[in-house]
Amino acid sequence: MPSEDLDLPAESWQWPESTWRGHVDSVRAGRRLTPDRWPGGARVAVALSFDSDHETIPLRDGETSPGRLAQGEYGARAGAPRILDLLARYSVPTTFFMPAVSALLHPEEARSYTRDGHELAVHGWIHERNMLLGRDDERELTARALDTLTTLTGQRPVGIRTPSWDFSESTLDIMLDLGFAYDSSLMADDEPYEIVAHGRPTGLVEIPVDWIRDDAPYFTMDRYGSVRPHSRPRDVGEIWRDEFDAAYRDGGVFQLTLHPHVIGHRSRLVVLRELLDHIGSHRDVWFATHAQLCDAARTCLDDTTSPSSPAPDAPEHP
Ligand SMILES: [Zn+2]
């Protein structure tokens, strides 16, 4: 029998059970954290987020041409002010995840988020791909990003979204070590849950994302590639409306990830406005930052009488 650790078969179909089970168990969804009622008696929580990447995506890839950087600059110059104006008109608090380099390039914008009642949260240093980093580099960049946002705004962020929406072998430990209350990078559920590592509850709240509820996959294109995905903005708005409607029926969370340099264009921002009109036509909606949503979700962690990991559509026991 081959040693599992010293002589690991290269092909996944050769892995022993302990190997494939070990990979799956390293970061896992634990207890679902959906209270019976959201704050204020609301039946749905709406958590909008904006990833203010701006110039950091081309910079991360070493693309320094003014043409590429200008696409990111659009997010800061045109997108973010429009978005902040729209959110103010609808009195909607949201969360802005901002790479530290983006915040250093646009410090007044970073400060305006918290000044306007929104949340500013960590989104890496320069939108680095954490999967490619060694443990020390990943920790140092995450800590430096946290310190940078804290210094700029005077408020220490409590949340993090990895730029790549992925976890390296070190990511979870780093988040716990730096004292984050929640992460928002994983996709195991529609509702918040507690992250479990190798069967051990960590106390870290996950506010899940999904590519379905992200503007970038629908609207971005590779200029030199043969495939140019293009979606009609209102078709995308219909998907998000359906996601909200189902969350409302379920009494759950509607979470959305948008980018100022993507959604901030005139023909796309109209979809966000129409979505806010649609949501606003419902009663008992709680608009929350991700940090506020985390606090509400944590009440389930504190409530030891609530069942752990209830199945979403489990039949009622007689
Ligand atoms: Zn990003």
Side-chain angles (χ1 to χ4, degrees):
M1 190 173 171
S3 161
E4 292 162 12
D5 293 322
L6 300 178
D7 188 21
L8 187 68
E11 301 293 344
S12 59
W13 53 268
Q14 296 175 307
W15 288 349
E17 177 172 348
S18 59
T19 301
W20 48 256
R21 199 175 286 284
H23 284 301
V24 168
D25 286 346
S26 64
V27 176
R28 199 72 167 153
R31 180 152 46 148
R32 177 174 285 172
L33 306 176
T34 314
D36 291 337
R37 230 34 191 181
W38 296 104
R43 61 173 297 158
V44 68
V46 174
L48 306 184
S49 64
F50 297 86
D51 292 1
S52 299
D53 302 329
H54 304 336
E55 294 93 339
T56 60
I57 293 179
L59 284 176
R60 182 267 318 273
D61 293 330
E63 296 184 44
T64 55
S65 72
R68 280 290 284 126
L69 293 172
Q71 286 180 272
E73 187 180 8
Y74 182 92
R77 185 181 172 88
R82 268 182 205 149
I83 288 164
L84 285 170
D85 184 54
L86 185 69
L87 296 175
R89 276 191 279 134
Y90 283 78
S91 300
V92 171
T94 66
T95 299
F96 287 84
F97 293 90
M98 198 171 200
V101 166
S102 182
L104 289 169
L105 286 167
H106 310 283
E108 204 35 54
E109 179 188 325
R111 282 190 279 268
S112 74
Y113 293 153
T114 52
R115 197 171 52 227
D116 286 7
H118 303 290
E119 176 195 3
L120 182 63
V122 171
H123 194 43
W125 172 253
I126 195 167
H127 215 273
E128 63 275 12
R129 292 188 171 93
N130 59 346
M131 300 299 291
L132 303 180
L133 297 174
R135 180 186 183 88
D136 291 347
D137 283 340
E138 183 178 359
R139 193 192 186 290
E140 197 276 322
L141 289 171
T142 308
R144 193 167 7 135
L146 180 60
D147 288 346
T148 300
L149 298 190
T150 304
T151 302
L152 276 173
T153 66
Q155 296 178 34
R156 184 181 169 89
V158 299
I160 182 168
R161 170 172 292 160
T162 63
S164 52
W165 279 10
D166 211 342
F167 275 32
S168 73
E169 288 183 357
S170 311
T171 303
L172 179 58
D173 284 345
I174 292 168
M175 288 178 181
L176 293 170
D177 189 36
L178 293 176
F180 286 104
Y182 76 86
D183 168 69
S184 182
S185 314
L186 301 177
M187 308 186 187
D189 205 329
D190 296 306
E191 315 300 346
Y193 56 85
E194 180 181 19
I195 293 181
V196 170
H198 297 293
R200 182 175 45 85
T202 64
L204 189 68
V205 173
E206 176 62 34
I207 299 174
V209 293
D210 198 280
W211 295 115
I212 297 170
R213 301 185 311 273
D214 183 327
D215 55 356
Y218 299 112
F219 298 128
T220 50
M221 70 162 193
D222 176 5
R223 182 180 173 191
Y224 297 108
S226 57
V227 179
R228 297 198 171 188
H230 177 77
S231 305
R232 288 182 66 249
R234 284 192 170 84
D235 288 347
V236 176
E238 192 176 326
I239 295 170
W240 295 341
R241 218 162 40 241
D242 288 343
E243 287 279 326
F244 166 78
D245 288 346
Y248 190 81
R249 278 196 303 273
D250 292 346
V253 173
F254 172 67
Q255 187 278 342
L256 191 63
T257 301
L258 303 170
H259 299 76
H261 71 280
V262 178
I263 199 73
H265 287 274
R266 289 165 167 151
S267 59
R268 296 174 184 162
L269 203 63
V270 66
V271 171
L272 178 58
R273 183 170 51 74
E274 289 177 355
L275 182 67
L276 291 173
D277 283 335
H278 176 73
I279 295 172
S281 71
H282 292 67
R283 296 166 58 90
D284 301 325
V285 174
W286 180 51
F287 284 99
T289 66
H290 283 44
Q292 291 166 337
L293 178 58
C294 170
D295 285 343
R298 290 189 77 85
T299 62
C300 302
L301 277 182
D302 299 337
D303 179 6
T304 53
T305 60
S306 68
S308 63
S309 301
D313 300 312
E316 296 268 338
H317 290 290

